[in-house]
Amino acid sequence: MFQNVRQEQIVQRLKNNQTVKIAEIASHYGVTRETIRRDLYELEKQGLITKVHGGAMLNKANEEPVYSKRAIWNVQEKQAIARKAASFVEDGDAIYIDLGTTTLLFAEELMQKRNITVITSALLVALEMSKHPSAKVILCGGELRPGELSLSGPIARKTIEDFFVDKAFIGVGGISKENGFTDFHIGEAEIRSLVLQRAGMKITLADHSKFSVVAFTKVASIKDMDLVITDSKAPEALIGQLRESGVEVVIADGGVIDS
């Protein structure tokens, strides 16, 4: 198969699935992984994709992968991040939990925490926290987004403006040194930015696929975040850049890169 034909098919696979793995593509086409890496490098140079550890993502800043697909990506890494994030919650804390697949797993890890107060704009997070034996759950109002089941808009902003929290646990669409923390939905990004202004400690939960990705709208600058919890597949170069900017990075398998 000609290289240009293979690359066109790789892009089509990305349009269908949002992400591809080098090993799977190499096996499918009967070529070496190095050949596929060269293909991905060329596609990245054209601005069509973003290479991530072990594969690639479609480079569409304004097109968010659907929740149901994101929920099955990198599940083990997300579970490890969720467990590590839960260790930062203390009994009696008031926290904000953002919408997202990793933050939902994080909510599931909080059942042993006592007397916590949780504010959220995510219906799925609120439903999960409703199972908690002692948590007080505050769900902000607002406009409901189908699929994500998230709330945003003027009513959500008004709710968030009235509260301050000890810690905010935020999900994002992308992290890059130049553009900071970005996301796909303007209304939800606005709520995140507002929450960060009202949080004592600002924490982002992001698996390795979010690194070196730039989504549609800005949430925060690198310097605005206190802590990023990720997995061991996150690129070392960007982790180093976060550290140089004063952000602590915690690796979910237990390793810590100090700020």
Side-chain angles (χ1 to χ4, degrees):
M1 178 180 290
F2 292 112
Q3 182 184 34
N4 63 327
V5 175
R6 185 174 61 243
Q7 290 178 0
E8 288 175 2
Q9 292 185 4
I10 290 173
V11 171
Q12 187 57 52
R13 277 175 170 258
L14 279 163
K15 288 180 178 178
N16 293 335
N17 303 307
Q18 300 297 328
T19 184
V20 296
K21 298 293 186 183
I22 289 174
E24 294 173 1
I25 297 297
S27 175
H28 176 79
Y29 289 109
V31 297
T32 66
R33 295 188 184 192
E34 193 57 38
T35 295
I36 298 302
R37 288 191 184 96
R38 286 195 295 268
D39 286 339
L40 298 181
Y41 176 76
E42 290 298 323
L43 292 170
E44 187 173 49
K45 282 175 60 178
Q46 298 173 42
L48 297 173
I49 69 166
T50 297
K51 289 188 353 181
V52 297
H53 183 87
M57 297 177 63
L58 194 63
N59 191 17
K60 285 192 174 183
N62 65 339
E63 185 173 310
E64 183 176 23
V66 297
Y67 190 98
S68 59
K69 287 188 176 181
R70 300 199 319 270
I72 61 174
W73 294 346
N74 306 321
V75 174
Q76 291 183 339
E77 289 88 346
K78 291 175 180 178
Q79 289 174 333
I81 292 168
R83 287 192 295 270
K84 180 62 70 174
S87 69
F88 287 86
V89 178
E90 301 175 357
D91 291 347
D93 270 350
I95 64 175
Y96 176 84
I97 305 179
D98 200 8
L99 66 130
T101 58
T102 307
T103 50
L104 180 58
L105 292 171
F106 163 66
E108 295 173 3
E109 295 290 332
L110 298 179
M111 294 302 153
Q112 302 306 313
K113 306 296 180 179
R114 300 176 59 188
N115 301 317
I116 60 174
T117 299
V118 175
I119 304 173
T120 185
S121 59
L123 264 63
L124 293 177
V125 169
L127 287 171
E128 181 61 35
M129 292 308 305
S130 70
K131 306 172 188 176
H132 194 290
S134 66
K136 178 187 295 183
V137 183
I138 300 171
L139 178 64
C140 71
E143 182 180 350
L144 179 66
R145 181 156 74 113
E148 299 293 317
L149 297 181
S150 60
L151 297 161
S152 60
I155 297 173
R157 288 198 304 272
K158 177 58 180 173
T159 302
I160 297 301
E161 286 173 353
D162 290 338
F163 293 98
F164 295 86
V165 294
D166 298 302
K167 294 149 191 167
F169 295 85
I170 302 295
V172 294
I175 304 173
S176 71
K177 177 64 167 66
E178 296 76 15
N179 299 287
F181 301 87
T182 54
D183 205 66
F184 296 93
H185 190 273
I186 294 174
E188 291 166 4
E190 184 180 31
I191 296 302
R192 290 184 176 99
S193 297
L194 188 59
V195 166
L196 291 174
Q197 296 172 28
R198 285 157 169 72
M201 187 175 188
K202 307 162 185 66
I203 304 169
T204 291
L205 312 185
D207 69 83
H208 62 274
S209 69
K210 304 298 180 66
F211 283 70
S212 302
V213 172
V214 179
F216 184 58
T217 187
K218 188 167 185 175
V219 173
S221 299
I222 291 296
K223 62 181 177 59
D224 296 328
M225 203 65 60
D226 297 313
L227 170 65
V228 172
I229 305 177
T230 187
D231 59 80
S232 58
K233 296 179 183 178
E236 293 182 6
L238 186 46
I239 286 177
Q241 291 171 341
L242 289 170
R243 177 179 60 182
E244 291 170 1
S245 299
V247 180
E248 183 182 2
V249 180
V250 172
I251 306 301
D253 61 9
V256 179
I257 299 179
D258 294 324
S259 59

